[in-house]
Amino acid sequence: MSRGRREAAAGPTVPGLQGGRGLLRLWVLALLLPQAPTMVHAGSTSAPHAGLMRADVAVASDIAVARALFERNLDAIRRRDREAYLTCYLRADTLARTGPEGPLLGYDSFAKENGDDWPDLFEGLDLQLVPIRPGLVYGTYRYRVRYGPREESGISERFFVKTGDATTGRGATGAAKGGADRSAAGWKIAVTTAFAAPPGTPPPPRALVGATLVDGTGAAPVPDAVVILRGGKIDCAGTRAQCPPSKGVDTLDLEGLWVTPGIVDAHVHFSQTGWADGRPDAIDVRDRYPYEEVEAGLRAHPERFLRAYLCSGVTAVFDVGGYSWTWDLRGRADADPLAPHVAAAGPLLSTLDFWLNLPAERQFIYLGSEADARTGVRYLASHGADAVKVWFIPVEERKFDDMAKAVMAAGEEARA
C-alpha cells in the first residue's frame, strides 16, 4: 500500500473501479513485461524434465525474493521508516500508482507525497503472490488503517520486478546475496495500487493460536487452542489437531491469554445516555443540558458506545426501545469492525401517551385503541423491527380492560 493513507485514500476516489482497474492492469502489463528479463536455463536441452525442474526452482526463487521485499515494504509502514519504505520502490519515471483520475507516474512525486503522515494503526494480512513471468511477480494483501476515528480497509496490489540492481534499481549489477531477504535488494516495486473494500466485506482469514479456549458449551477449557476466523465467522475452534491453521493464513500468538464467547447485552438504549440528561422524566436537567441537543449528539456519535461495548467484551447488543434512527445502527454496526452486532426494536408501544419525544420524532407510539395497536405494529414491521416492545402502564383515566385489549391486539398483530 502506498504508505497506508495515501494509497488507502486512493481507493475510494475511483468508485467501483471494475473497468478502470482492468485498464490500469493492462496498461501496467504493457509497461512492465518488456522490462522483465527472460530467464535462460543452463544445461542440456535433451533433458526437458531437468529444464522444468530448473524453471520450478526459478519460480520459487522469484516468489521468495518478492515475498521478502513485500514484507520489508509493509514492515517499513509499521515502523514508520520513510527511508526503508521508499527503498522498496523503482526509482524511475515509470513507477505507477493509483490516482483519482487514473495512474500516476514517477518516483519523485511519489517520494515527495509520502513519509510524513503515517496511520495510527496499520495491519497488512493475507499476502498472496503469483509469478507472471521470470523476473515479474504480482502480489496482493488486505490492509486496514486507522487515522484517529476514521478507519479504512481494502485490498492493495504490487508488481515486483527484477531490476538487477541491489541499490538504486537503475540497472547496475551485483545484486545482494545471502538469502531471499538480501536478494530482494535486486528487486523493486514497479506498481502499487489500493482499492477500498465495500461495506460489509469480511476481514481476511486469521488463526488465533496458543490461548486457553472456553467455548461456551460447558466443556472444560482447552489449553493451547486454535481459533480459525474465516469469512467474518468462527470457522473452527478447538485443539491444534482439530483446527490446524491452513498454509498462508496469518496467525496471532495469544499464549497466556483466554478466548471466550462474546457477551450479549440484551437491554440497551442508544437513545439514552445512562444519565439524567437522557431521561429528563426522571431528573430534569434540561436547563443545562437541552434534551434536543443531547439526542442529536447520541444520533450523530453512537461510535463511543459501540467501541466501549467491544472493549468490555460485549459483541452483541439489543436496543429494546428508542427513536427510529436506532434501526439504522444495525447496518452501520455490521459494516464497522469496531462495533458489536446490533438488534433494535425501535419506537415503543405505550398505554401511556408519554411526553418524552422530540417535536418531529416519537419514541413512544400511543396505544389509544386496538386499531392504534395494529397500525403501530405494522409500522414497526415495515421497518424490520427486531421486536415489538410494549409499555403496559396503568393509566388512571383509562379503563384497564380497554388498555389490555389494545395490548393483546398488538400481540396478535405481531404474531400474524
Side-chain angles (χ1 to χ4, degrees):
M1 193 172 69
S2 185
R3 219 280 323 5
R5 185 175 209 170
R6 299 291 183 188
E7 194 166 283
T13 62
V14 194
L17 211 71
Q18 295 300 323
R21 183 173 180 176
L23 289 173
L24 174 62
R25 185 169 296 129
L26 289 173
W27 183 87
V28 163
L29 288 175
L31 171 70
L32 288 181
L33 288 177
Q35 294 183 358
T38 302
M39 185 168 293
V40 178
H41 299 295
S44 171
T45 57
S46 62
H49 63 283
L52 290 174
M53 291 178 62
R54 285 192 293 272
D56 290 342
V57 171
V59 167
S61 176
D62 281 2
I63 291 290
V65 294
R67 179 175 292 278
L69 178 56
F70 210 163
E71 292 174 346
R72 196 167 71 220
N73 179 231
L74 302 185
D75 187 57
I77 300 174
R78 296 185 186 98
R79 294 185 291 107
R80 304 185 178 190
D81 188 333
R82 182 177 187 273
E83 182 178 356
Y85 177 76
L86 293 176
T87 299
C88 299
Y89 291 89
L90 185 69
R91 286 178 172 264
D93 294 337
T94 53
L95 174 66
R97 63 194 188 279
T98 46
E101 297 180 358
L104 300 176
L105 298 178
Y107 174 86
D108 291 340
S109 61
F110 172 77
K112 184 177 180 179
E113 293 174 1
N114 288 275
D116 298 323
D117 193 13
W118 302 96
D120 300 316
L121 176 144
F122 170 76
E123 189 174 70
L125 300 173
D126 198 23
L127 275 65
Q128 302 288 338
L129 292 162
V130 177
I132 302 300
R133 54 163 291 174
L136 180 63
V137 175
Y138 169 74
T140 64
Y141 78 99
R142 304 275 293 276
Y143 69 82
R144 183 167 71 96
V145 293
R146 187 186 308 137
Y147 297 88
R150 181 171 62 88
E151 180 166 311
E152 300 169 355
S153 62
I155 190 167
S156 184
E157 300 172 300
R158 299 284 190 278
F159 277 91
F160 303 91
V161 61
K162 186 175 182 180
T163 65
D165 180 2
T167 54
T168 68
R170 293 183 184 273
T173 59
K177 297 180 181 180
D181 188 56
R182 293 189 63 190
S183 327
W187 285 65
K188 297 294 176 182
I189 297 170
V191 178
T192 176
T193 76
F195 301 93
T201 301
R206 173 177 275 185
L208 312 179
V209 300
T212 299
L213 170 67
V214 177
D215 65 10
T217 66
V222 179
D224 193 29
V226 174
V227 178
I228 307 294
L229 309 176
R230 194 184 308 276
K233 299 180 180 180
I234 297 175
D235 187 57
C236 187
T239 65
R240 288 182 181 264
Q242 292 171 325
C243 305
S246 303
K247 184 178 180 181
V249 171
D250 289 279
T251 61
L252 183 62
D253 186 359
L254 299 182
E255 183 179 0
L257 301 179
W258 291 71
V259 173
T260 69
I263 300 169
V264 177
D265 190 335
H267 193 129
V268 308
H269 293 283
F270 285 103
S271 298
Q272 300 178 24
T273 63
W275 189 64
D277 58 348
R279 287 294 302 267
D281 57 315
I283 301 177
D284 194 348
V285 292
R286 286 177 292 176
D287 57 333
R288 285 169 288 167
Y289 304 96
Y291 182 66
E292 292 80 2
E293 295 180 9
V294 171
E295 287 302 317
L298 289 171
R299 181 174 187 169
H301 297 290
E303 68 278 356
R304 49 185 163 167
F305 299 109
L306 298 175
R307 177 66 169 160
Y309 283 127
L310 277 194
C311 290
S312 303
V314 176
T315 57
V317 298
F318 187 8
D319 186 312
V320 291
Y323 289 103
S324 59
W325 57 261
T326 57
W327 285 323
D328 298 334
L329 294 179
R330 297 175 294 186
R332 175 171 177 170
D334 285 345
D336 185 354
L338 297 179
H341 176 73
V342 173
L348 300 80
L349 305 183
S350 174
T351 57
L352 172 66
D353 192 4
F354 203 47
W355 62 268
L356 191 57
N357 299 291
L358 292 171
E361 296 178 81
R362 293 187 63 91
Q363 60 177 331
F364 295 95
I365 300 174
Y366 180 49
L367 295 180
S369 65
E370 293 180 52
D372 290 341
R374 296 185 186 280
T375 300
V377 171
R378 286 196 290 269
Y379 167 76
L380 298 177
S382 70
H383 288 273
D386 293 303
V388 175
K389 182 172 180 177
V390 176
W391 260 17
F392 191 168
I393 300 177
V395 179
E396 186 175 347
E397 295 80 11
R398 299 186 62 187
K399 292 182 179 180
F400 185 88
D401 287 346
D402 290 344
M403 291 186 288
K405 289 178 180 178
V407 171
M408 293 299 292
E412 291 172 2
E413 188 68 30
R415 290 190 295 269

